[in-house]
């Protein structure tokens, strides 16, 4: 069943993808699931250091 989640596309070097795949396999995850987890962890850490990103800021980022 296809997901209705928004998608992102990144371009990176082959070595980084291969390493990501190795880590994903070791954690029994898909590449996409690992990438989403990494992004969530990064945002959580960012918000701990800089404060929570509020809904007003989210609205601005969607329009501009």
């Amino acid at each position: 069943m296809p997901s209705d989640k928004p998608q992102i596309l990144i371009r990176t070097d082959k070595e980084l993808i291969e390493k990501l795949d190795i880590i994903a396999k070791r954690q029994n995850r898909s590449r996409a699931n690992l990438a989403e987890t990494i992004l969530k962890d990064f945002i959580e850490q960012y918000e701990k250091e800089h404060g929570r990103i509020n809904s007003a800021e989210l609205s601005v980022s969607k329009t501009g």
Side-chain angles (χ1 to χ4, degrees):
M1 177 184 225
S3 174
D4 60 349
K5 290 183 176 182
Q7 296 181 358
I8 61 171
L9 172 69
I10 63 167
R11 296 186 189 275
T12 189
D13 59 74
K14 185 177 179 180
E15 182 179 351
L16 185 62
I17 294 296
E18 289 171 347
K19 289 180 179 183
L20 189 68
D21 286 345
I22 289 168
I23 296 167
K25 185 175 181 179
R26 288 179 181 172
Q27 294 186 1
N28 197 30
R29 299 175 182 264
S30 67
R31 180 193 298 163
N33 179 264
L34 179 59
E36 181 179 24
T37 300
I38 290 167
L39 288 169
K40 285 178 179 179
D41 290 347
F42 177 84
I43 290 170
E44 181 181 321
Q45 185 61 40
Y46 180 92
E47 288 183 325
K48 282 181 184 177
E49 293 175 18
H50 302 280
R52 184 157 174 81
I53 299 169
N54 63 46
S55 58
E57 290 175 297
L58 292 174
S59 298
V60 170
S61 70
K62 290 178 185 177
T63 60

